[in-house]
Amino acid sequence: MKKWAWESYWTVGGLVSWLILPPMAAWLTVPGFIEIILQSPPDVLWFTFIMGFLWGIGGLSYGLGIRYLGMSLGNSVVLGFSAAFGALVPSLYYNVYPSEGKVSFTDMMANPGGQLILLGILMCLAGIAICGKAGMMKDSDLSNKKKKQGVREFDLVRGLVVAILSGVLSSFFNYGIEAGKIMADRAVLTGYNSLYQNNVTFVVILLGGLLSNLIWTTYLSVKNQSYKNYLDKEAPILMNFLFSSCAGTIWFLQFFLYGMGESLLGNGASSWILHMSTIILTANLWGIYRKEWSGVAQSTKWTIISGVLVIVLSVFLVGIGNYF
């Protein structure tokens, strides 16, 4: 992006990914999605929307986590917490509010498969702790000048606080899928392809995320007068709109494909933690490519590698546990 403020291109990308594409995808795959949404209980719609709103705040703070920690460490902490909380909390909820066909925490504790899932979640948290340790080792290994070369605004303490907040709130997307499951189930009962059932729920979740993001970006646009970017003749306006829209489209495809996979795997711990951990692995490869760990001691490099491997191993444990 050239000569546009962050809030300018974030708004364009957000409108594409959270307002335009979700109903378009739902209309192409579940043409009667509007009727399904309108026939759903108001409390279901409201709760699903709120989960999306809170997830949206997590998405905003995610950017700050990456800004202060870098691609490798930032994604490991943010998405590690998101994976663990997103996989665990629904079962705790169903322990308090039992629902037919839903697996509670007590159910998980009562069978070997559930115990393996819980072990995988604990291992995921252990992997996050190891990654955090690597961040502290990096902080002591490098001079301020060296830190800035890999991550321009590296700040371990501030980054960890923001990343943990972002990770917890980002898991609310998975709660939104769970809260709006009645809409997905109704789409299947109506006769639509079950592979695309989650596209109905995504419309409501992403409207919530759109609202929280628009509140913040509008505030920044007014405060910084960056709304003028859209008419700035010195900026490549057309290309900026195009790139922002492409970014929003690619982002939406992430959950379009996740929704298909979840419909086959089920919205248990395995779907969410597999999705998050794959992002963690990919982000760490980008972090290596961007030389974010260049200049640190070998022990620090092995520590971050160990943390990532532990998180990846937790995915296999959760997947095996879900199978049983």
Side-chain angles (χ1 to χ4, degrees), residues 25-41:
W27 177 73
L28 289 172
T29 57
V30 187
F33 76 98
I34 294 178
E35 290 80 3
I36 293 172
I37 292 174
L38 292 177
Q39 291 169 7
S40 300

Side-chain angles (χ1 to χ4, degrees), residues 57-281:
I57 298 174
L60 285 168
S61 50
Y62 165 82
L64 287 175
I66 303 304
R67 176 178 174 180
Y68 295 133
L69 297 178
M71 287 285 287
S72 296
L73 183 58
N75 274 286
S76 296
V77 176
V78 172
L79 299 176
F81 269 97
S82 179
F85 275 80
L88 183 61
V89 173
S91 66
L92 293 172
Y93 174 83
Y94 289 122
N95 225 75
V96 180
Y97 301 101
S99 178
E100 186 178 352
K102 301 297 183 181
V103 179
S104 68
F105 185 80
T106 303
D107 295 331
M108 293 174 72
M109 289 291 291
N111 68 82
Q115 293 167 10
L116 201 55
I117 289 173
L118 293 174
L119 177 61
I121 293 171
L122 286 174
M123 186 172 287
C124 182
L125 292 173
I128 298 168
I130 295 171
C131 290
K133 173 66 175 174
M136 289 185 243
M137 293 169 70
K138 177 182 180 182
D139 195 43
S140 61
D141 283 349
L142 302 179
S143 65
N144 286 331
K145 183 179 179 181
K146 281 283 186 182
K147 292 174 194 171
K148 307 296 182 188
Q149 289 177 358
V151 181
R152 191 169 53 186
E153 298 179 68
F154 185 79
D155 188 323
L156 182 66
V157 175
R158 184 183 296 181
L160 286 175
V161 171
V162 174
I164 291 170
L165 171 68
S166 174
V168 173
L169 289 176
S170 294
S171 66
F172 279 64
F173 196 101
N174 198 37
Y175 309 158
I177 296 175
E178 194 72 17
K181 203 64 179 175
I182 187 174
M183 290 182 276
D185 291 342
R186 186 165 293 171
V188 176
L189 290 173
T190 306
Y192 295 112
N193 191 333
S194 61
L195 193 63
Y196 305 112
Q197 58 182 288
N198 288 307
N199 287 341
V200 182
T201 313
F202 288 165
V203 172
V204 182
I205 297 175
L206 293 175
L207 279 176
L210 176 70
L211 179 60
S212 53
N213 278 264
L214 273 184
I215 289 172
W216 182 243
T217 54
T218 300
Y219 165 74
L220 290 179
S221 294
V222 174
K223 176 188 174 185
N224 302 328
Q225 294 190 337
S226 49
Y227 56 84
K228 296 178 181 178
N229 288 161
Y230 300 126
L231 299 175
D232 184 2
K233 294 182 180 179
E234 294 184 3
I237 297 176
L238 181 61
M239 294 306 295
N240 282 356
F241 267 107
L242 178 63
F243 283 125
S244 298
S245 300
C246 284
T249 300
I250 293 169
W251 183 93
F252 173 73
L253 287 174
Q254 163 198 199
F255 276 111
F256 180 80
L257 294 170
Y258 174 79
M260 295 169 67
E262 189 278 334
S263 69
L264 298 172
L265 285 173
N267 196 32
S270 59
S271 302
W272 186 253
I273 203 169
L274 176 62
H275 177 58
M276 292 293 108
S277 298
T278 306
I279 302 176
I280 292 170
L281 182 60

